[in-house]
């Protein structure tokens, strides 16, 4: 099963963390979830089947018969202010739930997001729908993510910093530098919110990152990488962040090298809608 641009995501799994860890969650699926393909959505999303909420039975519990509504399709939207989910059944019933954004913070005075809160937010919406009588276990859905989030990982795939959002406009000098070197002739218009100039700015703020950074990607690509173990750079978001050559959608390695960025930091480019990989343990 695959996800085409503008379509719905596959059924892969996001798992609760191990028992005894304070109710934390993990983006690593359980060993039993194998063989599900993950592909990049048009705005950098991936896909997954989410675990049902299981409540322990108590001796005095009284079973209640309830007709559940089955969600066939759904769409998540991870924005600056919150995460929303709309679902629809095959018979046309609909529901909508939303939660406020968690993890909003600042790095060097600039807006960003701590991504460790993302799994909990997703599961909170699914729990809310189940409380309303919806069965979401087999739902096929899409996931849209903030377009200009920048994620930096070390060689162990650990986050080096929060994800700088589109609201970060500190890279004014870096944009001017890219324009002077003629970068826009190859990658198109460059703006302060784009990952290419933001990366230059971030490395100037934290020079030690040049030795520790191993991967640079969007938040949507990061979610897919956590599920599959494969880092990929989806073309849709990469093009709108100055990371690809406009002519052939290949990595803008010549521009990056002139800007003193290592092209090897960026994952293999994959066309949006293509399969990234299968969910692994």
């Amino acid at each position: 099963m695959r996800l085409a641009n503008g379509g719905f995501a596959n059924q892969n799994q996001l798992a609760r963390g191990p028992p005894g860890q304070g109710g934390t969650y993990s983006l690593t699926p359980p060993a039993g979830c194998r063989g599900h393909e993950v592909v990049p959505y048009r705005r950098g999303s991936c896909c997954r089947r989410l675990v049902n909420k299981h409540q322990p039975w108590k001796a005095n519990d009284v079973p209640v018969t309830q007709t559940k509504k089955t969600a066939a399709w759904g769409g998540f939207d991870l924005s600056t202010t919150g995460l929303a989910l709309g679902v629809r059944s095959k018979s046309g019933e609909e529901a909508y739930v939303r939660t406020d954004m968690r993890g909003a913070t600042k790095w060097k005075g600039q807006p960003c997001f701590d991504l460790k809160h993302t799994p909990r937010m997703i599961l909170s919406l699914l729990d809310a729908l189940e409380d309303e009588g919806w069965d979401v276990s087999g739902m096929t859905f899409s996931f849209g993510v903030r377009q200009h989030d920048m994620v930096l990982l070390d060689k162990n795939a650990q986050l080096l910093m929060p994800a700088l959002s589109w609201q970060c406009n500190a890279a004014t000098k870096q944009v001017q530098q890219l324009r002077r070197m003629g970068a826009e002739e190859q990658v198109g218009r460059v703006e302060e919110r784009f990952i290419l100039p933001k990366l230059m700015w971030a490395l100037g703020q934290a020079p030690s990152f040049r030795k520790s950074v191993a991967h640079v990607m969007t938040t949507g690509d990061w979610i897919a990488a956590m599920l599959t173990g494969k880092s990929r750079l989806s073309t849709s978001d990469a093009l709108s962040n100055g990371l690809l050559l406009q002519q052939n959608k290949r990595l803008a390695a010549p521009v990056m090298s002139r800007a003193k960025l290592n092209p090897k930091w960026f994952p293999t480019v994959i066309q949006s809608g293509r399969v990234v990989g299968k969910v692994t343990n």
Side-chain angles (χ1 to χ4, degrees):
M1 297 176 65
R2 303 185 180 192
L3 169 67
N5 283 340
F8 288 91
N10 209 14
Q11 298 179 4
N12 292 314
Q13 211 164 44
L14 178 69
R16 297 182 184 276
Q21 293 189 0
T24 59
Y25 299 96
S26 170
L27 277 171
T28 304
C33 178
R34 297 179 182 273
H36 299 291
E37 294 174 337
V38 174
V39 300
Y41 183 62
R42 185 175 182 277
R43 294 184 61 195
S45 74
C46 67
C47 42
R48 55 210 147 247
R49 170 191 277 167
L50 295 125
V51 180
N52 286 333
K53 177 182 178 183
H54 295 289
Q55 298 285 357
W57 278 84
K58 298 179 182 179
N60 59 350
D61 279 341
V62 179
V64 177
T65 302
Q66 180 179 355
T67 302
K68 283 208 168 190
K69 294 166 285 189
T70 301
W73 306 283
F76 284 94
D77 180 33
L78 182 63
S79 69
T80 306
T81 58
L83 176 66
L85 168 61
V87 298
R88 181 182 177 89
S89 70
K90 289 184 178 180
S91 60
E93 297 170 300
E94 296 180 340
Y96 174 86
V97 289
R98 182 188 181 279
T99 185
D100 289 338
M101 181 54 56
R102 298 182 182 90
T105 185
K106 288 190 176 182
W107 185 82
K108 305 296 182 180
Q110 294 300 312
C112 53
F113 294 93
D114 187 342
L115 298 181
K116 71 181 181 182
H117 298 275
T118 304
R120 186 184 298 274
M121 292 175 62
I122 296 171
L123 288 170
S124 71
L125 296 187
L126 295 174
D127 286 348
L129 284 176
E130 289 188 341
D131 289 343
E132 294 179 8
W134 283 85
D135 178 6
V136 296
S137 61
M139 178 176 63
T140 299
F141 62 95
S142 63
F143 206 111
V145 185
R146 295 176 299 266
Q147 193 173 28
H148 300 291
D149 275 19
M150 182 183 77
V151 176
L152 303 186
L153 305 176
D154 64 15
K155 63 180 181 180
N156 297 315
Q158 298 300 306
L159 292 164
L160 288 173
M161 57 178 287
L164 282 175
S165 79
W166 63 271
Q167 295 172 308
C168 173
N169 291 298
T172 302
K173 293 182 179 179
Q174 289 73 21
V175 168
Q176 294 173 352
Q177 179 183 345
L178 289 166
R179 289 174 178 171
R180 285 196 300 270
M181 69 173 61
E184 290 185 325
E185 297 177 4
Q186 296 178 279
V187 301
R189 180 85 175 167
V190 176
E191 302 287 351
E192 285 81 359
R193 66 184 182 277
F194 288 8
I195 289 177
L196 182 63
K198 283 197 301 190
L199 177 58
M200 297 168 63
W201 175 82
L203 293 175
Q205 298 296 308
S208 63
F209 282 178
R210 287 190 176 274
K211 295 182 179 180
S212 53
V213 66
H215 306 285
V216 181
M217 62 189 72
T218 68
T219 293
D221 292 325
W222 171 77
I223 294 173
M226 293 300 99
L227 287 168
T228 67
K230 296 181 180 179
S231 297
R232 296 292 184 268
L233 195 65
S234 58
T235 55
S236 179
D237 281 352
L239 278 169
S240 61
N241 277 292
L243 303 179
L244 303 185
L245 300 173
Q246 291 285 328
Q247 186 175 12
N248 55 22
K249 295 184 180 180
R250 293 181 179 177
L251 192 69
V255 175
M256 294 173 180
S257 296
R258 291 200 302 273
K260 298 182 180 180
L261 303 176
N262 188 348
K264 293 183 179 180
W265 291 338
F266 296 87
T268 301
V269 178
I270 185 172
Q271 179 67 40
S272 297
R274 299 279 180 87
V275 174
V276 173
K278 296 180 178 180
V279 173
T280 59
N281 185 22

